[in-house]
Amino acid sequence: MIELKLNSPLQFVKGVGPKKSQVLAEHGFNNVKDILFYFPRHYLDRSSVTPIGELKIDGSATIIGRVKAHGILYGKKRRYEVILEDDSGAINLVWFHGINYWSKLFKKNQLFAATGYVKSYMGLQIVHPDLERLEDETDRMIHAGRIIPVYPQTSDFNKVGLNSKSMRRITTIIFENLKETLTDHLPAEICKSHDFFDLHTAIAQIHYPNQRDNIEKSRRRLAFDELLNFQFLVFSNKDRKNKIVKKHIYNDNTDKLDKFIGRLPFQLTNGQNNVWKEIKFDLMSNRPMYRLLQGDVGCGKTVVAILASLFVASNNLQTAFMAPTEILAEQHYRNWCNSLSDLNISSALLTSSLKQNEKSVIAERCADGKIDVLFGTHALIYDYVSFNKLGLVIIDEQHRFGVKQRGKLYNKGDNPDLLVMTATPIPRTLALTLYGDLDISTIDTLPIGRKPIKTVWRSNDVKPKIYDFIIDDVKKDGQTYIVYPLIEKSDQLELENVEDAYKELSKGKLKNLKIGMVHGKVKNTERDKIINQFFNQELDVLLATTVIEVGMDNPNATIMVIEHAERFGLAQLHQLRGRIGRGSKQATLIAVAYAPLSEISQKRLEYFVSTTDGFKIAEADLELRGPGELYGLRQSGIPAFKAVRISQDLDLLENSRNLLEKLFNQDINLDSNYKDLYKYLNSNLEHGKVINAGA
Ligand code: ADP
Ligand code: MG
């Protein structure tokens, strides 16, 4: 028998060999330990194999048997059937799809394990079972008779035969021959107080759980480790930033600021004034600012950011103001360039759709320090853009940018101040984790005079009435957005799409209105034209996909209809809703839902219409989503956690942060277990084993 150690190369594991080990290495699996951290995607419960003769109708079961016969049957529906037989009886396995595939798969007498729901239809039947071929009796042991792991598949793995079954063979051999246990760096008392498995047990049980409950128990333990590693990075970043002294200094030069504020067509809200104070305090400090400005859609974050850029410009330093879409960048520029230039502050807009020579002119002026505030999209991060004296970096809708992109812009200055903004409010625990290295300011008031958006959800059969409502509103000079989940017809999804709707509505129900359409496949120039027409009220109705989700600021828009609202997450619905109700007119949102509605979709819609408070929505989103992705987190530099499920692990987030606070607080005399943990986490960081995050 082979003796395996944690650092044994995979090539020496039975069944791997040079070809497979090469592909594994290409995917970052070099030794035994790496494979142990490759977690199953899900599990099949084959802990009890039922003899076919003892199967109960209307229940799930796993059976093992040999193929007696197989072939295509032509009835009301064409189907592929296999008769599987064991000593006690026989059952039909049926497939209605992928007939070509199945017809090549089976040979008489082959041994298979099948899991699925048993029904009675001309004898016993399982439709579309989970199926796996067992080659011999050893296979029967590894792949059946217990809860078995199913591993994530990639096409590279499949090409060299590393399917789930062969991964299972490899993990089984590893566990049978492993002569070492994984060292646990978590102090035993922490394991105890959280009811965690030790590391080795957690790893063993996540692959081959003795019972179902052990899967979740192992996952939580491994999630805690991931959170510790991730937050260690955040804590270290903060530590490092705290030591930086910035080179530029600002004078509290209020002349232009006062003029600017005096000329605004509105009074700043208390929320805006408060966060501006916080930001100004940071700017005046001798450490660079790292601040996240959050606030619900429409609370008026932009003007606060403009105040900051004005302050910086009054001190002869430059500001880079980056937004995620051209629409948004342009809108910021258009809204503010005149009031800035009235105060002798020059600004410009840089996006990729400018002509090459236009870009060069702007880049040159910026490098010479002739532009005070440069608005733009991702175009700002390209190498040809440089600044003479970059004092402040502003990133709007920061969760739309990757860490690298944000970093690249930031590094165009010498430790400039940083202000990132987001309208995706997240619960406090999560904010502290994800943005632990940023200070957080929150605008908690909406401008006075905003009427709450009336929100309802309706079933799609009342759509004719909704169109009448839109037509009436247009007579009162209102404007409408209608949002669709798809650009064009899809074979997979039976959903309304914006292109067909545009054709139908412009000839049908809305033929007397001026309607336009934008989506991701409309060319930039054309899209800008349409959006401008909508802003200038040359269009009554704008049909769109979610491209309009961020930032669009047309205060005259009064109605939004969201088609297939049941398909959208709560936070996204809320974000979309933020496009209306920006002026003084009453705004209405109609969420249109299509049957069949799952219980969770219905709950989501009920909650959505019950509140317009973005923070409440964010909390509920986290709860209702279950294990899924939290909206907007994926792009925000949050690593692809393997074990963490944010929504279920908020307590672990908090506890891991508390533990790190202890570790980073040098005043406390920690016993050696904790010191070792610190060293271990630090070495992971230094070896680049932690995925980068934060701003
Ligand atoms: P968000 O926080 O979602 O980015 P914006 O900055 O786009 O919001 O502001 C939304 C709208 O509210 C804009 O039209 C802006 O001019 C307006 N606004 C901002 N502050 C105020 C205020 N204090 N009073 C009235 N309107 C305001
Ligand atoms: Mg905004």
Side-chain angles (χ1 to χ4, degrees), residues 76 191 295 300 312 343 379 407 552 558 569 571 575 679 693:
K76 214 160 75 189
C191 282
V312 169
L343 295 165
M552 286 269 287
T558 40
Q575 194 79 19
K679 273 189 220 145

Side-chain angles (χ1 to χ4, degrees), residues 381-383 403-413:
I381 68 181
Y382 287 114
D383 288 337
V403 186
K404 282 212 188 105
Q405 296 171 319
R406 294 185 304 222
K408 228 175 150 191
L409 182 59
Y410 188 79
N411 289 329
K412 290 183 190 257

Side-chain angles (χ1 to χ4, degrees), residues 301-558:
K301 293 182 288 293
T302 322
V303 67
V304 176
I306 296 293
L307 287 179
S309 64
L310 230 157
F311 183 84
V312 169
S314 310
N315 280 280
N316 298 318
L317 282 136
Q318 294 171 288
T319 297
F321 194 140
M322 183 162 75
T325 64
E326 295 209 1
I327 302 176
L328 194 51
E330 225 182 277
Q331 187 178 283
H332 287 331
Y333 173 70
R334 223 181 321 122
N335 285 350
W336 301 104
C337 64
N338 290 336
S339 14
L340 289 174
S341 75
D342 288 348
L343 295 165
N344 258 333
I345 293 171
S346 64
S347 60
L349 174 69
L350 184 70
T351 63
S352 343
S353 59
L354 291 185
K355 296 203 184 80
Q356 197 51 49
N357 59 337
E358 295 171 320
K359 287 186 207 167
S360 312
V361 170
I362 293 177
E364 202 170 304
R365 289 182 57 222
C366 189
D368 289 345
K370 289 185 184 128
I371 293 171
D372 298 310
V373 185
L374 183 60
F375 293 93
T377 53
H378 298 81
L380 296 188
I381 68 181
Y382 287 114
D383 288 337
Y384 72 89
V385 182
S386 66
F387 293 81
N388 182 33
K389 253 181 125 183
L390 182 60
L392 172 66
V393 170
I394 299 172
I395 299 177
D396 196 10
E397 307 285 349
Q398 64 94 26
H399 58 280
R400 293 277 176 142
F401 293 96
V403 186
K404 282 212 188 105
Q405 296 171 319
R406 294 185 304 222
K408 228 175 150 191
L409 182 59
Y410 188 79
N411 289 329
K412 290 183 190 257
D414 183 359
N415 289 306
D417 292 289
L418 175 70
L419 181 66
V420 302
M421 306 201 281
T422 182
T424 306
I426 54 175
R428 195 184 139 74
T429 330
L430 201 53
L432 285 172
T433 306
L434 304 181
Y435 309 124
D437 52 344
L438 297 172
D439 297 306
I440 300 179
S441 288
T442 306
I443 300 183
D444 51 9
T445 47
L446 284 180
I448 308 162
R450 291 262 170 89
K451 295 197 182 73
I453 299 161
K454 206 174 137 201
T455 307
V456 293
W457 77 269
R458 295 284 181 261
S459 128
N460 64 311
D461 40 346
V462 304
K463 263 163 62 179
K465 276 197 191 147
I466 297 176
Y467 296 129
D468 290 338
F469 180 68
I470 294 173
I471 294 165
D472 274 351
D473 183 72
V474 168
K475 286 183 195 142
K476 292 177 238 156
D477 289 332
Q479 288 178 287
T480 295
Y481 293 101
I482 308 182
V483 182
Y484 295 84
L486 292 181
I487 297 179
E488 60 209 349
K489 210 181 187 67
S490 147
D491 292 336
Q492 279 94 40
L493 297 164
E494 269 186 44
L495 303 175
E496 299 292 306
N497 68 81
V498 68
E499 291 209 318
D500 287 345
Y502 180 77
K503 279 182 222 145
E504 280 159 30
L505 291 174
S506 48
K507 286 198 210 98
K509 213 45 201 167
L510 301 182
K511 65 171 184 282
N512 295 324
L513 305 188
K514 287 164 280 177
I515 75 177
M517 165 174 68
V518 287
H519 55 66
K521 288 190 184 163
V522 176
K523 277 212 196 85
N524 285 354
T525 45
E526 177 67 13
R527 190 191 60 206
D528 291 349
K529 201 177 96 196
I530 296 165
I531 284 173
N532 276 331
Q533 287 173 340
F534 189 63
F535 276 115
N536 300 334
Q537 298 177 41
E538 291 155 29
L539 290 175
D540 304 314
V541 179
L542 186 63
L543 306 193
T545 54
T546 54
V547 290
I548 56 147
E549 173 180 284
V550 277
M552 286 269 287
D553 186 26
N554 178 2
N556 197 54
T558 40

Side-chain angles (χ1 to χ4, degrees), residues 154-174:
T154 72
S155 55
D156 285 358
F157 278 17
N158 278 334
K159 266 185 235 151
V160 290
L162 276 169
N163 55 17
S164 201
K165 222 166 100 181
S166 90
M167 284 304 292
R168 228 144 52 212
R169 228 176 262 131
I170 294 168
T171 47
T172 305
I173 287 171
I174 289 177

Side-chain angles (χ1 to χ4, degrees), residues 69-116:
H70 61 104
I72 302 177
L73 291 185
Y74 301 87
K76 214 160 75 189
K77 255 184 173 178
R78 207 160 72 103
R79 61 191 187 276
Y80 202 80
E81 281 204 16
V82 170
I83 302 174
L84 207 66
E85 184 181 54
D86 69 4
D87 298 341
S88 65
I91 185 168
N92 291 329
L93 309 178
V94 184
W95 287 269
F96 293 104
H97 310 298
I99 291 179
N100 280 343
Y101 173 80
W102 297 113
S103 62
K104 290 188 198 111
L105 192 76
F106 297 100
K107 292 210 172 66
K108 210 173 157 185
N109 277 327
Q110 281 173 337
L111 188 67
F112 279 91
T115 305

Side-chain angles (χ1 to χ4, degrees), residues 266-269 272 295-303 336 447-448 450 553 582:
F266 47 73
Q267 291 248 307
L268 293 176
T269 60
Q272 286 170 321
D296 213 343
V297 273
C299 70
K301 293 182 288 293
T302 322
V303 67
W336 301 104
I448 308 162
R450 291 262 170 89
D553 186 26
R582 298 186 146 240

